[in-house]
Amino acid sequence: MPATGKPCTAADLEPVFCKELIRQELDNDTAQFEIPREIRDFYRMFRPSPLVRAYFLEKALGTPAKIYYKFEGNNTSGSHKLNSAVAQAYYAKAQGLKGVTTETGAGQWGTALSMACAFFGLDCKVFMVKCSYEQKPFRREVMRTYGAEVTPSPSMTTEIGKLINAEHPGTTGSLGCAISEAVETAVKNPGYRYVLGSVLNQVLLHQSIIGLEAHAAFEKLGERPDVIIGCAGGGSNLGGLIAPFMGEKLRGERDYRIVAVEPSSCPSFTRGKYAYDYCDTGRICPLAKMYTIGADYIPSPSHAGGLRFHGMSSTLSELYDQKLMEAVSVKQTDVFAAAVQFARVEGILPAPESSHAIRAAIDEALKCKAEGREETILFGLTGTGYFDLTAYQAFNDGRMEDREPTDEDIRLSLEKLPKVKE
Amino acid sequence: MPATGKPCTAADLEPVFCKELIRQELDNDTAQFEIPREIRDFYRMFRPSPLVRAYFLEKALGTPAKIYYKFEGNNTSGSHKLNSAVAQAYYAKAQGLKGVTTETGAGQWGTALSMACAFFGLDCKVFMVKCSYEQKPFRREVMRTYGAEVTPSPSMTTEIGKLINAEHPGTTGSLGCAISEAVETAVKNPGYRYVLGSVLNQVLLHQSIIGLEAHAAFEKLGERPDVIIGCAGGGSNLGGLIAPFMGEKLRGERDYRIVAVEPSSCPSFTRGKYAYDYCDTGRICPLAKMYTIGADYIPSPSHAGGLRFHGMSSTLSELYDQKLMEAVSVKQTDVFAAAVQFARVEGILPAPESSHAIRAAIDEALKCKAEGREETILFGLTGTGYFDLTAYQAFNDGRMEDREPTDEDIRLSLEKLPKVKE
């Protein structure tokens, strides 16, 4: 904990998080959690999600590789985020809470949580990173349609928001700021708790439905992936997608290459440090050991998609540190070029986040072509880009820019990491 | 034909339409058309579409009725329009054409056609009804992403567009105008033909995939619908959904109630006349016998969704005239109220068009409740509302208005029907 320097306990977390979710977060012993019937009933409305062989993309690339994608976008939130949102809303309702607070960046998590809260009759307060709020008025409107209250962050409704606005006038916000505001709001409102759509163990647990379904589908097909590729911001999609495969890898049953893809404008794996850091800009959440580029880091406003969290899931960070997975970073203009190429042959207009994985999958397939090598590639197509047309417009108009942090930017940001004795 | 007063022939249509599509249009003998492999391969990317039991909606309504919906929104065009777009693009490509032209109202057809053209490598010129073009900038951007050229209609790029702009300065456009512009552009550009997303026999033929799948799914479930409900603008979705069921009804094998739902601001079935009329405002297309409120009719700009064509599919018109189906009209504020109610329990944010069917299905289910009557309801959930958030925002803000034509409006519009001897 930032205040005590000691490992946090369930009691420390109870003012902030739902009880059952804390149990899931801190549990190191339970091998499998039963999915409650109410959550399975909700899942039936959009799951199992399809595992698709990208025949037309393979043909367009002329690659000997087989490309599969697990498509999580066939629901109104437009992404995999709904998998965890419904679980978290269910546990909040079961605890008798009045509502939940959260932050959202690209808006997928906020939409997913709004949908889940509407379903379970919970109040929902969303702090939306200001630059996304302005770029994506329709995202806000979907959340409102599902009954959520949406506030651009940093706002003037919280102490930390006022402080950040005073220190950084005109800031376009960051997930770190928005998390601080959402946590503060949960703690100050009786009957509310804070929920988070990525990074945490509980979220990776809920998202493991993606990997479990993909694994079952490959079994049924009598095939298996050689390489598994996923975009990584906080790690929720990648962690969920690889879960059963990484289990086999850890138990020495099978080997898989696993590749995390992150934006070059927010490169926590590829240019960050494995260290204890704050999860939020306001420094009120527990510290976590993770790959990070520093809690104050804010990606360039030219960065269009999500994947803008300064840190990374602790679980994935440990796997990466142990060299059980790889990471690459990609430029957003290359990402959108891959997105358009994919859309035109496979039909689906992908989310910018998901398109990071498309970029890496295409690059891998082209490498197979160059080397005359067959290989089975699985990537996570986490969502659709229907609310990201402002970014597509910038790309279509040739106005999109790539802005990476300099080494000096990262050095300065990492200098502020907390000093923690391990 | 408007010029000759005689039934049109394949030769009359060839400067405008693709050859194979003309054959399908005029064919009265072929019982079944084989779907080419290339089209079936494309369908595999998003079909079969799910037939969903709306358990949560039933529960929310407390109805003894069973409600099923056939959901066509799980593709980037966001609607059933892709079913016909891919067929039309395929036949255009097979004929060796360079490109196609079309009109779009709400934007779903234009998006679908853009996707299909990108896939088959055809050029695509879309005339988009001006009020939709302005209300839905992101729809335009999706089409551009798939490589289409999008022009607001009436434009100054065609003779008919210039004329309409001169006669009605500041007009927000209509499907009728946009059709005229698209046809003119096709005829004037070598290697181009015009394609249409609704109304025509060929489109109903392509859309029968919806009904065929639904029928097969009901067979598998061992159930069958008592009532089939679909929204109706030009009739493509309803015609496709009911195809095999109507076949059984016509052959006296089974009876079904079939209900067309139209907006009260564009009531061609419920307040129009069964007569020969022009399909387009510019009066260059063949006449068709259909329910119509007159080729010059333009719905109030307050009308948010699609379903804005002044006429109705000839096939459906004949069925309606023979009392083989019913029709109701609904107000758009009631439609959006049903949309929000549906979204919050069933998860999917529906298109305004589809929500006309939801409204009627909910009303039917509530009638079952009042009368203590069990019944199986099937409705077509034709698409998603992800690009219709401006309309949702107006509804959420309480700014949405209902504007119906007066009897005098309709009388004046019907006065201009062409005089045709039958």
Side-chain angles (χ1 to χ4, degrees):
Chain A
M1 298 293 289
T4 62
K6 289 181 187 163
C8 74
T9 64
D12 291 330
L13 297 175
E14 279 190 11
V16 179
F17 292 107
C18 303
K19 275 184 197 167
E20 173 59 23
L21 294 168
I22 296 169
R23 191 176 79 79
Q24 294 178 4
E25 191 65 28
L26 300 181
D27 189 308
N28 284 318
D29 306 314
T30 310
Q32 289 196 317
F33 287 82
E34 180 77 17
I35 306 176
R37 192 184 52 77
E38 289 83 350
I39 298 175
R40 278 181 283 135
D41 283 348
F42 190 96
Y43 279 170
R44 283 205 184 92
M45 293 198 287
F46 65 104
R47 306 207 67 86
S49 74
L51 178 75
V52 183
R53 172 91 181 264
Y55 285 106
F56 295 119
L57 180 61
E58 290 173 16
K59 199 176 150 195
L61 298 173
T63 178
K66 289 181 189 172
I67 308 176
Y68 287 91
Y69 57 88
K70 178 74 171 163
F71 180 44
E72 293 290 317
N74 273 347
N75 70 74
T76 290
S77 81
S79 84
H80 67 294
K81 297 281 181 178
L82 193 54
N83 300 328
S84 186
V86 62
Q88 298 198 40
Y90 167 76
Y91 292 120
K93 186 69 181 181
Q95 192 180 328
L97 295 176
K98 192 177 157 199
V100 292
T101 70
T102 199
E103 79 297 325
T104 198
Q108 295 170 334
W109 168 245
T111 310
L113 191 67
S114 305
M115 291 172 66
C117 286
F119 186 81
F120 287 113
L122 278 170
D123 192 31
C124 181
K125 296 180 192 298
V126 180
F127 289 86
M128 186 169 186
V129 176
K130 196 178 273 174
C131 64
S132 288
Y133 183 90
E134 284 160 6
Q135 272 180 19
K136 302 186 179 184
F138 291 168
R139 269 282 178 205
R140 179 194 64 212
E141 214 47 49
V142 186
M143 292 186 252
R144 277 185 75 205
T145 301
Y146 284 91
E149 177 191 306
V150 189
T151 308
S153 168
S155 75
M156 297 303 277
T157 70
T158 65
E159 293 311 310
I160 188 71
K162 288 176 198 166
L163 197 70
I164 293 169
N165 270 315
E167 282 180 7
H168 308 277
T171 175
T172 53
S174 72
L175 268 189
C177 309
I179 293 172
S180 297
E181 290 205 276
V183 171
E184 184 185 321
T185 304
V187 172
K188 285 191 179 160
N189 283 279
Y192 282 77
R193 291 293 185 283
Y194 166 71
V195 296
L196 179 64
S198 190
V199 182
L200 301 177
N201 300 332
Q202 57 187 263
V203 177
L204 270 64
L205 174 69
H206 306 151
Q207 295 295 357
S208 65
I209 186 87
I210 306 173
L212 291 167
E213 284 180 5
H215 194 274
F218 273 109
E219 290 282 318
K220 210 167 168 180
L221 286 167
E223 303 211 18
R224 65 192 189 92
D226 299 299
V227 191
I228 304 171
I229 297 172
C231 61
S236 71
N237 138 69
L238 182 65
L241 176 64
I242 66 174
F245 302 99
M246 185 57 89
E248 292 179 327
K249 184 167 174 159
L250 288 169
R251 292 190 299 272
E253 294 164 11
R254 276 188 178 171
D255 197 23
Y256 302 96
R257 267 184 68 214
I258 290 168
V259 184
V261 191
E262 57 184 17
S264 59
S265 55
C266 196
S268 46
F269 264 148
T270 51
R271 297 177 68 193
K273 194 172 159 182
Y274 190 39
Y276 275 93
D277 193 9
Y278 303 98
C279 288
D280 63 320
T281 313
R283 293 157 164 66
I284 55 177
C285 294
L287 296 168
K289 188 165 184 189
M290 58 184 177
Y291 276 86
T292 176
I293 40 174
D296 285 325
Y297 180 81
I298 296 182
S300 157
S302 73
H303 175 67
L307 312 178
R308 50 174 70 239
F309 186 59
H310 65 275
M312 184 59 70
S313 144
S314 289
T315 308
L316 292 186
S317 293
E318 192 174 340
L319 293 168
Y320 182 62
D321 185 60
Q322 292 178 14
K323 312 244 183 298
L324 288 159
M325 51 185 274
E326 310 161 26
V328 294
S329 79
V330 289
K331 290 182 186 182
Q332 69 174 352
T333 50
D334 294 336
V335 164
F336 275 83
V340 172
Q341 182 176 18
F342 179 85
R344 292 189 181 186
V345 292
E346 291 290 323
I348 298 163
L349 187 81
E353 299 79 32
S354 327
S355 304
H356 287 70
I358 298 176
R359 176 74 271 161
I362 289 178
D363 291 345
E364 179 72 22
L366 290 175
K367 214 158 69 180
C368 290
K369 182 183 180 180
E371 297 168 6
R373 185 161 47 85
E374 266 189 53
E375 190 175 78
T376 301
I377 300 169
L378 164 63
F379 74 88
L381 188 69
T382 56
T384 52
Y386 308 153
F387 295 101
D388 303 295
L389 272 303
T390 306
Y392 273 96
Q393 184 169 11
F395 179 76
N396 291 337
D397 291 344
R399 286 185 287 104
M400 181 171 275
E401 288 177 19
D402 293 309
R403 290 265 181 84
E404 299 174 15
T406 64
D407 289 342
E408 184 66 4
D409 290 338
I410 290 181
R411 197 187 58 76
L412 286 172
S413 184
L414 291 177
E415 249 179 18
K416 295 184 209 156
L417 288 181
K419 314 289 174 241
V420 176
K421 268 192 217 164
E422 292 194 34
Chain B
M1 297 293 287
T4 62
K6 289 182 188 161
C8 74
T9 64
D12 291 330
L13 297 175
E14 277 190 13
V16 179
F17 292 107
C18 303
K19 275 186 198 165
E20 172 60 23
L21 294 169
I22 296 169
R23 192 175 80 77
Q24 294 177 4
E25 191 65 29
L26 299 180
D27 188 308
N28 285 317
D29 306 314
T30 309
Q32 290 196 317
F33 287 82
E34 181 78 17
I35 306 176
R37 194 184 52 77
E38 289 84 349
I39 298 175
R40 277 181 284 135
D41 283 349
F42 190 95
Y43 279 171
R44 283 204 184 91
M45 293 199 287
F46 66 103
R47 306 206 67 85
S49 75
L51 177 75
V52 184
R53 171 90 182 264
Y55 285 107
F56 295 120
L57 180 61
E58 291 172 15
K59 199 175 149 195
L61 299 173
T63 179
K66 291 181 187 173
I67 308 175
Y68 286 90
Y69 57 88
K70 178 75 170 162
F71 180 45
E72 292 290 317
N74 272 348
N75 70 75
T76 289
S77 81
S79 83
H80 67 293
K81 298 281 182 179
L82 193 54
N83 301 327
S84 185
V86 62
Q88 299 199 39
Y90 168 76
Y91 292 120
K93 187 69 183 180
Q95 191 179 329
L97 295 176
K98 194 178 157 199
V100 291
T101 70
T102 199
E103 79 298 326
T104 198
Q108 294 170 333
W109 168 247
T111 311
L113 190 68
S114 306
M115 290 172 67
C117 286
F119 186 83
F120 288 112
L122 278 170
D123 192 30
C124 181
K125 296 182 193 296
V126 180
F127 289 88
M128 186 170 185
V129 177
K130 197 177 272 175
C131 65
S132 288
Y133 183 90
E134 286 162 4
Q135 271 178 21
K136 302 185 178 185
F138 291 167
R139 269 282 176 205
R140 178 194 65 212
E141 213 48 48
V142 185
M143 293 186 251
R144 278 185 73 206
T145 301
Y146 285 92
E149 178 191 306
V150 188
T151 308
S153 166
S155 75
M156 297 303 279
T157 70
T158 66
E159 294 311 312
I160 188 70
K162 286 176 199 165
L163 197 69
I164 292 170
N165 271 315
E167 283 180 9
H168 307 277
T171 176
T172 52
S174 72
L175 268 187
C177 310
I179 292 173
S180 297
E181 290 205 273
V183 171
E184 182 184 324
T185 304
V187 172
K188 285 190 179 161
N189 284 279
Y192 282 77
R193 291 294 185 283
Y194 166 70
V195 296
L196 179 64
S198 191
V199 181
L200 301 177
N201 299 333
Q202 57 187 265
V203 178
L204 269 65
L205 173 70
H206 307 151
Q207 294 296 356
S208 66
I209 186 86
I210 305 173
L212 290 166
E213 285 180 6
H215 194 273
F218 272 109
E219 289 283 317
K220 210 167 169 181
L221 286 168
E223 303 210 19
R224 65 191 188 92
D226 299 299
V227 192
I228 305 172
I229 297 171
C231 62
S236 71
N237 138 68
L238 183 65
L241 176 65
I242 67 174
F245 301 99
M246 186 58 89
E248 292 180 326
K249 185 166 173 158
L250 288 169
R251 294 191 298 273
E253 294 165 11
R254 275 186 179 174
D255 197 24
Y256 302 96
R257 268 183 66 214
I258 290 169
V259 184
V261 192
E262 58 185 16
S264 59
S265 55
C266 197
S268 46
F269 264 150
T270 51
R271 297 178 67 192
K273 195 173 160 182
Y274 189 40
Y276 275 94
D277 194 9
Y278 302 100
C279 288
D280 64 320
T281 313
R283 291 157 166 65
I284 55 177
C285 294
L287 295 168
K289 188 165 183 191
M290 60 183 174
Y291 276 85
T292 176
I293 39 175
D296 285 325
Y297 180 81
I298 295 183
S300 157
S302 72
H303 174 68
L307 312 179
R308 50 174 69 238
F309 186 58
H310 65 275
M312 183 60 69
S313 144
S314 289
T315 307
L316 292 186
S317 293
E318 192 174 338
L319 293 168
Y320 181 61
D321 185 58
Q322 293 178 12
K323 310 247 184 299
L324 287 160
M325 52 185 275
E326 310 160 27
V328 294
S329 80
V330 289
K331 290 182 183 180
Q332 69 173 351
T333 51
D334 294 337
V335 164
F336 276 83
V340 172
Q341 182 176 18
F342 179 84
R344 291 189 180 185
V345 293
E346 290 290 323
I348 299 163
L349 188 82
E353 298 79 33
S354 328
S355 305
H356 288 70
I358 299 176
R359 175 75 271 162
I362 289 179
D363 290 345
E364 179 71 21
L366 291 176
K367 212 158 69 178
C368 290
K369 182 184 179 179
E371 297 168 4
R373 187 160 46 83
E374 265 188 54
E375 192 175 77
T376 300
I377 301 167
L378 164 63
F379 73 90
L381 188 69
T382 55
T384 51
Y386 308 154
F387 295 101
D388 303 294
L389 271 302
T390 305
Y392 272 97
Q393 185 169 9
F395 179 75
N396 292 338
D397 291 346
R399 286 185 288 104
M400 179 170 276
E401 286 176 22
D402 294 309
R403 290 263 182 86
E404 299 173 15
T406 63
D407 289 340
E408 184 64 5
D409 290 339
I410 290 181
R411 195 186 61 77
L412 285 172
S413 184
L414 291 178
E415 250 178 16
K416 294 183 212 156
L417 288 182
K419 313 290 173 242
V420 177
K421 266 192 218 166
E422 291 193 34

